Amino acid sequence: MIKVAKFGGSSVANAEQFRKVKQIVLSDPSRKFIVSSACGKSSSEDHKVTDLLYLCEAHVRFGVSYESIFSQIEEKYYGIKKELGLQIDLEKEFASIRSYMKKGMSTDYLVSRGEYLTSKCLAEYLGYEFVDAADVIAFRYNGDIDLQRTGQLLEERSDGQGMVIPGFYGSLPNGTIKVMSRGGSDITGSVIANVMNADVYENWTDVSGFYVTDPKIVENPVAIPRLNYNELREMSYMGANVLHDDAVFPVKSKNIPINIRNTNAPDDPGTMILNDCSELDRTDPPHAITGITGRKDYTSITIVKNHASAEVGFLRRMLQAFEDYHVSIEEVPTTVDTFSVLVSSSAVQNCLYDIVGRLKEELHPEDVRIEEHLALVAVVGRAMKEQPGMSGRLLSEFGHNKINIKTISQSSDELCIVVGVMNRDFEKAIRCIYRRFISEERTR
């Protein structure tokens, strides 16, 4: 068996967390490929190393001294080295980084040094080989990861022994460092699981898997034992931020399960994410609702025009205005004479009235209405399709709790129902769904 184990920033925040990681890794010989994030926050007053590196880059760019910030990074790694008795030559590593900073370096190079240094320390502590991600994670010039090339490079370095690989970055064909989006270490682990044909991809973090909803909204929510990739995508996109959205695709293509685990509670089984849960569902039927999540701060732009639905190309021209301003569209609720577009409020912060002007010029509507401070609540569950009237029960619960529904949409596979409410009702909406469909049904 081959396991790829990725440890997030909270799992490698300090020497104490390093010790937990070592116990986890060495307890299972099949954990051969270890992916590490940069050191995270060890307390509320602490700072993530990657955040500090981005601050250093900004100081360099504007010609401001970065010494006080960089010294915090040095102190963190020197502390880990001392407490764990490591031999890594941090003086040499920091001198090299400083040299690049003084003569100019790419942002990607600098902000990737957190993963680089953390992984070098972790490799020594585990007694595993350190393999620089720049040598094995191959990007194409268009920004895509070249899975075939990555697989070849890893096979050349793999000798059956354990290795530690930094997450978050790789390199372009010319050797230049390229980073992924924040949280990209999840993607690194997923890519390695794909190319090495792993049996499972373990993602170790500071929570024991996915919960039905956000513990900040509902106290002690129920844990989700398993979900499928499609449910994961819906929940991650709509705000459940345990795993990076794009970490799904590399493992899904090879049907490799993801196991979300807790570094601080390693005996907890966590959440298993599978391509197909049907076999397990037959012996242990899932709840109708897998998860309840959502996001705040959306804006609705509604066009009112008589006979608009009969006007060929009307919707295309409406959506083209948003595309021309590089605004991604969330939903498009329609009736006979009204077409609404829901977008993230931040996406139209600087161009909303330019878009409205364009819509008036192109479509000649009777009216254009703008509504802000909206939120979307997503109810996700592969078993909802087996529950006739589920949408009606959800809407009825909103009514009982005096929550006004602004929009509603449901995919034809009945995997996800998305309801639009006002920002002020967001938490209330999630709590009432959880109370009615999770808490009350579990006590029956």
Side-chain angles (χ1 to χ4, degrees):
M1 175 173 278
I2 298 175
K3 291 183 179 179
V4 174
K6 177 263 176 180
F7 291 90
S10 61
S11 299
V12 290
N14 52 38
E16 179 185 356
Q17 294 300 95
F18 267 62
R19 293 188 182 98
K20 294 177 184 177
V21 170
K22 185 173 185 176
Q23 289 183 334
I24 291 167
V25 171
L26 299 187
S27 69
D28 188 343
S30 64
R31 293 184 176 118
K32 296 293 186 184
F33 299 93
I34 310 302
V35 176
S36 179
S37 296
C39 295
K41 296 170 66 172
S42 57
S43 69
S44 58
E45 293 78 28
D46 198 9
H47 299 280
K48 296 179 180 180
V49 165
T50 303
D51 289 343
L52 294 175
L53 287 167
Y54 271 110
L55 278 174
C56 284
E57 189 278 333
H59 280 59
V60 170
R61 186 160 24 97
F62 291 106
V64 180
S65 174
Y66 53 81
E67 286 299 332
S68 62
I69 301 170
F70 197 76
S71 64
Q72 295 180 56
I73 300 171
E74 291 176 316
E75 288 172 10
K76 180 177 280 286
Y77 286 104
Y78 279 126
I80 290 171
K81 175 183 176 178
K82 180 179 180 180
E83 194 166 341
L84 299 180
L86 304 179
Q87 300 301 311
I88 180 173
D89 189 349
L90 288 176
E91 291 84 357
K92 180 180 178 181
E93 296 290 352
F94 287 127
S96 176
I97 296 171
R98 285 178 179 277
S99 174
Y100 274 99
M101 292 170 75
K102 288 178 180 177
K103 63 185 180 184
M105 78 292 150
S106 71
T107 300
D108 286 17
Y109 168 82
L110 180 59
V111 300
S112 69
R113 296 306 86 185
E115 280 76 12
Y116 172 85
L117 290 171
T118 305
S119 297
K120 290 207 79 169
C121 291
L122 184 60
E124 180 186 338
Y125 187 56
L126 295 175
Y128 279 20
E129 179 188 4
F130 170 76
V131 177
D132 192 349
D135 296 332
V136 291
I137 303 297
F139 280 93
R140 298 189 180 96
Y141 283 116
N142 66 358
D144 294 339
I145 295 176
D146 186 336
L147 291 176
Q148 183 177 0
R149 179 62 178 155
T150 297
Q152 292 171 347
L153 293 169
L154 270 170
E155 286 286 357
E156 292 171 4
R157 298 295 298 265
S158 179
D159 58 1
Q161 304 301 310
M163 63 172 64
V164 178
I165 304 164
F168 185 48
Y169 72 94
S171 64
L172 295 168
N174 64 2
T176 302
I177 296 291
K178 177 171 176 54
V179 299
M180 305 169 193
S181 58
R182 290 298 294 268
S185 293
D186 289 344
I187 302 173
T188 303
S190 183
V191 165
I192 293 172
N194 174 297
V195 301
M196 301 310 296
N197 295 307
D199 296 283
V200 65
Y201 169 33
E202 295 180 336
N203 193 290
W204 293 82
T205 179
D206 57 0
V207 293
S208 296
F210 277 88
Y211 295 102
V212 170
T213 195
D214 188 346
K216 296 176 183 176
I217 298 175
V218 173
E219 186 176 358
N220 298 319
V222 176
I224 303 172
R226 64 185 179 276
L227 66 160
N228 63 37
Y229 290 130
N230 293 329
E231 290 173 305
L232 172 65
R233 279 287 295 159
E234 294 283 358
M235 291 182 65
S236 295
Y237 180 76
M238 287 303 298
N241 295 319
V242 175
L243 189 71
H244 194 293
D245 291 356
D246 294 334
V248 175
F249 302 112
V251 289
K252 183 179 180 180
S253 67
K254 289 195 173 180
N255 197 23
I256 298 169
I258 304 171
N259 191 192
I260 308 296
R261 303 287 293 275
N262 189 344
T263 304
N264 302 314
D267 292 332
D268 289 355
T271 298
M272 287 296 296
I273 303 164
L274 308 163
N275 191 36
D276 184 1
C277 298
S278 58
E279 186 175 339
L280 291 171
D281 288 350
R282 279 193 288 271
T283 57
D284 180 22
H287 192 278
I289 293 176
T290 299
I292 310 161
T293 185
R295 289 179 176 176
K296 288 183 175 181
D297 298 322
Y298 287 94
T299 295
S300 170
I301 301 95
T302 299
I303 294 289
V304 181
K305 185 177 182 181
N306 292 330
H307 309 296
S309 58
E311 190 175 323
V312 176
F314 185 89
L315 181 59
R316 176 189 57 77
R317 286 182 289 143
M318 182 178 180
L319 299 182
Q320 185 66 50
F322 291 89
E323 181 179 347
D324 289 346
Y325 282 90
H326 306 288
V327 174
S328 179
I329 293 170
E330 202 69 38
E331 288 187 359
V332 187
T334 65
T335 62
V336 175
D337 294 325
T338 64
F339 290 75
S340 297
V341 174
L342 262 71
V343 297
S344 169
S345 296
S346 62
V348 293
Q349 182 177 3
N350 299 317
C351 61
L352 176 59
Y353 292 98
D354 293 321
I355 292 174
V356 169
R358 169 79 175 272
L359 293 172
K360 289 180 177 179
E361 180 182 345
E362 292 275 341
L363 304 175
H364 308 293
E366 273 81 40
D367 193 13
V368 179
R369 302 168 186 165
I370 297 171
E371 188 163 17
E372 299 179 298
H373 311 299
L374 300 176
L376 295 178
V377 176
V379 181
V380 180
R382 62 187 180 277
M384 286 199 298
K385 62 185 176 183
E386 309 297 336
Q387 302 282 331
M390 191 67 191
S391 296
R393 293 169 61 198
L394 282 170
L395 299 184
S396 177
E397 194 61 27
F398 283 125
H400 289 326
N401 286 273
K402 295 180 171 56
I403 297 171
N404 190 31
I405 295 172
K406 308 300 294 186
T407 66
I408 180 168
S409 64
Q410 179 179 3
S411 56
S412 59
D413 61 4
E414 301 180 67
L415 179 67
C416 182
I417 300 170
V418 180
V419 180
V421 299
M422 299 302 295
N423 274 347
R424 63 176 178 268
D425 291 327
F426 178 72
E427 288 84 2
K428 181 181 179 182
I430 289 177
R431 290 191 191 104
C432 79
I433 297 170
Y434 185 89
R435 182 176 58 253
R436 173 65 181 84
F437 294 95
I438 307 298
S439 297
E440 292 182 8
E441 292 190 8
R442 282 173 63 87
T443 58
R444 289 177 182 174

